[in-house]
Amino acid sequence: MPAPPVLPPPYSFPILASAAPVVGSIVMWAVTHSVYLLAFAFLGPAIALGSLLDAKWKGAGAMRQEKSRFAVEVATTRLAIDDAHRRERATLQQRTPSPSRVLASPQSDPERWRQNPDAALHVSIGSGSIRSSLDPGPEPASGRDRMPDAGTVVRRLWEDAVLLDNAPVVVDARDGIGVCGPSVVAMAVARGIIIQLANILSPAQTRVSFGAEFEWLADLPHPRAPSEVAGRVQFSSLSASAGSPHVTIAVAECAADLPRDCRVVLDTAAPTAIVRHPQPARLGPVTPEAVTEEQARGYAAVLRRCAQAEGLHSAVGLLPEWVHLASLPQRPGQRHLSLACSVAADHTGVRTLDLVLDGPHVVIGGTTGSGKSELLISWVLAMAGNYGPDAVNFLLVDFKGGSSFAPLARLPHCVGVITDLADLGAARALNSLRAELRFRERVLARCGVRSIEELDDHEPLARLVIVVDEFAAVVDGFPELHRVFSDIAARGRSLGVHLILCTQRPAGVVRDAVMANCPLRICLRVNNRADSVEAIGTAAAAELTRLPLGRGFIGLSGERPQLVQFAQSERGDDERAGARWPQQLVRRPWCEPLPSSIDLGRVPVYAEAGIGFGLSDVPEEQRQPCAVYDPDRHGNLLVIGAHGSGKSSVLAALQAGARLAAATGRFSSRVQWIPSSVPGAWDLLTVIRRELRGRGGAGRLLLLDDVDVLLSRFPEDYQRAFVDLLVAVLREGGSASVQLALSMQRSTSALQAVAALCDARMLLRLPDRQEHVMAGGTAADFMPDAPSGAALWRGHRVQVAMVPVPSRLGQLEPPPRLELSEVSGVIAVSSRPRVFARALHAHPQIARVIELAGTVGTDIEVVDGSSGRAVAFVADPETWQSRWSVLEQLRSGAPMVFDGCAVTEFRAITRLRALPPPLEPGSDTLWLKDAVGTVRRVRL
């Protein structure tokens, strides 16, 4: 607020200042007796008079400036108050428009019907003065130094700021509004309040009941409640029980006749109009606004046209709040031509949906708790009750664990339920859909028709309805399925494959390629207008209330969406639907998942050459043929798997399968196990390599289990040589039809060359995804919980037949005993000479044992072999190398026996570069080098 002008302080005459010069002049005259000094006596009064005149002149100027400043500030403040009041009044009128503004609003008003019926319902009951939102500060008070007329101006300005004139007086209609007074005026005022409520309350959320005086309300799009009370209008929420009041507008001659629901009372005959209010401070003069019946009826017609454009109409009130599926009459159509069934109730009675004529595909939208799963169950049960398994089959996809479709899984029409509990199984089943499309194309081509509608009734091809709950979760887990569903949506009509896709938010989830082929749209309650518009073209579904469950809109291409109440099933409906049809074999679009264990005798018959060892899963061809390994075509085989994954069972199955294949002429090679012992594996591979180089040993399949474990058991000097043996057999065996089937837990660096020469590879369960990828698989094929014998073979999953693993795995006979019948002396080299010497004493063909560590060089001359028994000279490797002359004297005719010696010690004494045959670690086997230089294993 502007500060009032400040009055200048009053000016008083300076008596003492004027008298002082007079007294001084008289004293000076008395002393000097000069009359001239008396002239100074007139100086003081003259100066005082001048000061008085000057003060009055300056005070008048300051007062004129203050008045000018005050006038400018008052005018500026008044303009600011008027401008702020104008904006505030416009805001209030826009927020709560008066009846005249409501009548003038366009039909396509975007703010219409956005009000939540459970929130405050602000309506204007007229215009008047209300407290403004401006804050002009504390109420001004008059002061002694302020001009009285200026204080009055400031107070009036302050009062103008705090009060907003000609503003809408707003009340909450939930308090109930009563209008009393002369009938004609009261009814006109009540109409203005009612059209405001009709403008903010959606017909999808509220119903209206009214008396005969308000018969024009029948033109509103809002559903009518069954109860009608004279002189009263009630708006009720559709989510509440029928007839429960939400807002009451009543008209009477006097306030005493109004119902107690009306806490706000307007008296059109009273000066202030408002005579009762729950907040007495809100009472004040109000000028109500009247609306004629003709204006109200015209606006009701505008609202009806708007509701029709948005898919809302007064049929809402005629819909039941719950419909039992069994109560709907069913009239099935002709097989191959229709899937018509009754699934809902509308304002005409029963609503029928035909997935063939209305579809062929449908998208269902609805937020959590809107009744999507119940709708899917009811629709499937209705189709199953009308058509047999030879006419329609159902594939159910539920990525919420499978519990939603539990009642449908028992139907004879159901060909499977896919859940998110097994991603590999879900991907396998959905991948089979491509094969199903190809199968149906072949059937139509064989019959010479273009679509399933042209097939004869005896043709066993049934329509396949794929029901997907939570479609967003399905495509999020498997993005590649977008292409599968797009393919089905494009070709499904002629092939008889239909999609029912259910999702919480259709916008952005269902791609345009699918939506373009879904002329049938269903939308239950959704959370935002965009999802409703995406599904049915209007925002009407976003206005639906939480109750009743299962209420939604059906939208067909080119037609206005229709509000319906979908039926719900009860316990036993699935049993009644399935009991109508006899049990019959239903063709599934894919084979059952591979069993966790199979017997080799149950492996399917196969025509190709090779060894059948298990069951292969080929979902893209909808079959599970025999898994065959043909060594001639596939080459060497490498089996990689963790402990307990079934590696040994694979090799045992190959051996057993080879016997069966040989009986039918599909395999002619001999199967032979490579021993799991170090000596046995070395000897056999050495013999085979010798035969291959000599062009012999053809037509063999060698089985070697746990090659990495076997390699680790070899002494360090032999590991590289053993790998070289394997590489030689792997590389040279192909030309002689000699192949190896190896198994290992992981491909180590030492066995990289071996793994590289295996043309075929079989992957079983591995400890983690990284090892699976390093073994040659892909991350998508990793099977962390695969059973024993489950493997990847030639791009497909297989289950290897369970065959007992042989206990000995091709073990060779133990080495022969040491034979010394034709020799007179033996050179014994031992790392434990004394212990070995005692052991040699017990040999029947040894007459004497001499330990060189305790003898002199002449003792060798006492050797006598005439008795037929030999003399053994025993020493450790160091002693023999120090007694080189004795060693050279005996070397020419005496065999050498090595006990517990290293390869380097053997080479140093024998002067041979070739490795001796390896010994089993911890065994009592010896090396024997005979007189001709042959080295072999013997036992003492």
Side-chain angles (χ1 to χ4, degrees), residues 891-914:
R891 185 193 301 274
S892 60
M896 293 183 180
V897 178
F898 292 83
D899 170 52
C901 297
V903 174
T904 55
E905 296 169 338
F906 172 85
R907 286 176 167 175
I909 294 176
T910 62
R911 299 179 181 179
L912 297 176
R913 302 309 303 165

Side-chain angles (χ1 to χ4, degrees), residues 153-188:
V153 171
V154 172
R155 176 174 293 277
R156 289 178 180 174
L157 194 63
W158 183 87
E159 292 175 351
D160 290 344
V162 298
L163 290 179
L164 180 63
D165 295 330
N166 196 26
V169 179
V170 179
V171 298
D172 189 351
R174 296 179 302 176
D175 293 331
I177 303 175
V179 184
C180 61
S183 176
V184 176
V185 180
M187 289 292 293

Side-chain angles (χ1 to χ4, degrees), residues 818-835:
L818 179 60
E819 180 63 40
L820 301 173
S821 59
E822 298 180 359
V823 297
S824 58
V826 176
I827 300 173
V829 185
S830 175
S831 60
R832 41 177 192 167
R834 290 189 178 181
V835 177

Side-chain angles (χ1 to χ4, degrees), residues 439-450:
F439 168 78
R440 291 174 174 265
E441 288 175 342
R442 290 194 298 268
V443 171
L444 297 182
R446 186 186 72 243
C447 298
V449 297
R450 293 178 298 177

